[in-house]
Amino acid sequence: MKRVDHSFPLPVFTINKNFIIQSYSKEAEDHFVLTENFMDLFDEGSLSKLKKWINPEVKKVTLEVQLKPYGNASNPVTCDLHVKWNNDLHAEVLLILKDDQMERVTTMMNQLRARLNDTNFQLLEEKEKLEEALELNNRLSAPFITLTPDTALIPLFGDLSLDKMDVIEEPLLHRVNQGGMERVLLDFTGVGDIPKDGAQALKSLTASLFYMGAAVVITGVRPEQVPKLQQIRFPVDVSYLHSLQQAVSRYCLHYDPSSS
């Protein structure tokens, strides 16, 4: 087996029908102690479920399974497993660890809160800087708005810098996965410049969303932004609509709850 570069910022594996790992991403290598057999990663209680559903006859499936404890974990770790067979021999598998990001953020905030309890003047200055940084982070983060049970809106604002895309990518993927969204509207009405590194991050984001089963619709693109979006060469089909109003009319105003 070998390590390969993937556009997804998550653990990704390529396996064969005998569950032998053919390749894996850097994130997979960073998270796990890898062996030849993909099944070695999972808790015994999840093995029968995995063997039942991971086969070429089920072309695409999402499973909630338990990983063996790893790193600092003492108990099995819950994850969502997204499997897509490219052919009858090989499948690509994407792992999303549940609440992993929230645990990291909570730990960091608890550590900072403990430090800021000290009334030392220097720490008060640090507290002010932290509050300013958090405020800036909130401004840069794109809001996640649920329009219908299967459609979400992400209005983007300002320049699509690499830093901004890094801030929004993981929480966005988590919310889409958590809500089981089938469609994500990326509204460019408030977008300014699209630098090259930010465009590549946008390409990675759309590929991850598609792999998770969500269609991507881009709205509100201005004429001067079209050439930059064309240069991105998205690895998957991305739909375009002239305005957010068109998208809402098409996907939300005529939404039938009984069809979901």
Side-chain angles (χ1 to χ4, degrees):
M1 59 183 181
K2 60 181 180 179
R3 195 186 90 181
V4 296
D5 292 329
H6 280 269
S7 59
F8 315 123
L10 298 165
V12 179
F13 298 86
T14 300
I15 63 173
N16 65 20
K17 62 181 181 180
N18 296 318
F19 308 108
I20 302 302
I21 298 174
Q22 307 296 298
S23 64
Y24 53 88
S25 66
K26 180 179 183 300
E27 289 76 10
E29 184 179 45
D30 292 342
H31 272 85
F32 308 110
V33 177
L34 299 179
T35 62
E36 185 180 32
N37 195 315
F38 182 64
M39 291 298 187
D40 291 342
L41 296 174
F42 298 94
D43 184 71
E44 185 177 354
S46 293
L47 294 182
S48 59
K49 185 178 185 179
L50 291 163
K51 291 176 181 177
K52 176 181 179 180
W53 291 103
I54 301 182
N55 66 77
E57 295 181 0
V58 183
K59 295 298 184 183
K60 190 175 181 181
V61 67
T62 297
L63 305 171
E64 182 179 270
V65 292
Q66 298 285 320
L67 291 160
K68 289 180 179 177
Y70 67 91
N72 296 324
S74 57
N75 297 311
V77 179
T78 303
C79 76
D80 282 332
L81 199 70
H82 299 269
V83 183
K84 181 181 180 183
W85 287 87
N86 298 324
N87 49 53
D88 289 339
L89 298 177
H90 297 100
E92 289 190 357
V93 184
L94 172 70
L95 272 71
I96 298 182
L97 307 176
K98 289 197 170 183
D99 298 326
D100 182 57
Q101 182 191 17
M102 184 62 67
E103 289 179 5
R104 294 199 305 268
V105 172
T106 301
T107 299
M108 181 185 70
M109 294 303 295
N110 286 338
Q111 291 172 345
L112 288 171
R113 188 177 294 111
R115 292 175 61 192
L116 294 175
N117 284 335
D118 194 321
T119 56
N120 181 278
F121 178 76
Q122 182 178 0
L123 288 178
L124 288 176
E125 285 189 328
E126 186 175 346
K127 180 180 178 181
E128 293 174 355
K129 291 178 181 179
L130 173 62
E131 290 173 344
E132 292 174 358
L134 290 175
E135 182 181 351
L136 177 60
N137 181 69
N138 289 335
R139 290 203 304 269
L140 292 176
S141 298
F144 184 97
I145 303 171
T146 300
L147 299 179
T148 70
D150 60 8
T151 300
L153 166 65
I154 313 295
L156 301 170
F157 300 97
D159 297 342
L160 289 190
S161 65
L162 178 60
D163 288 342
K164 177 178 294 184
M165 296 304 297
D166 285 344
V167 166
I168 71 173
E169 187 167 33
E170 282 197 31
L172 169 58
L173 293 176
H174 180 76
R175 291 289 299 276
V176 170
N177 178 67
Q178 189 179 50
M181 294 298 171
E182 299 178 4
R183 185 181 301 104
V184 175
L185 310 180
L186 297 178
D187 182 48
F188 276 57
T189 303
V191 171
D193 188 28
I194 308 175
K196 186 175 181 179
D197 55 359
Q200 290 302 312
L202 177 64
K203 178 179 178 180
S204 171
L205 174 62
T206 57
S208 297
L209 289 169
F210 177 80
Y211 192 80
M212 293 168 61
V216 177
V217 181
I218 294 179
T219 68
V221 176
R222 297 194 302 277
E224 63 269 23
Q225 295 170 334
V226 172
K228 291 189 176 181
L229 290 178
Q230 289 175 335
Q231 291 173 7
I232 294 177
R233 296 184 179 180
F234 292 107
V236 296
D237 290 334
V238 173
S239 302
Y240 294 87
L241 288 176
H242 178 68
S243 67
L244 177 60
Q245 289 82 357
Q246 276 187 315
V248 171
S249 176
R250 176 175 298 186
Y251 299 117
C252 302
L253 295 185
H254 304 294
Y255 172 73
D256 180 5
S258 64
S259 66
S260 59

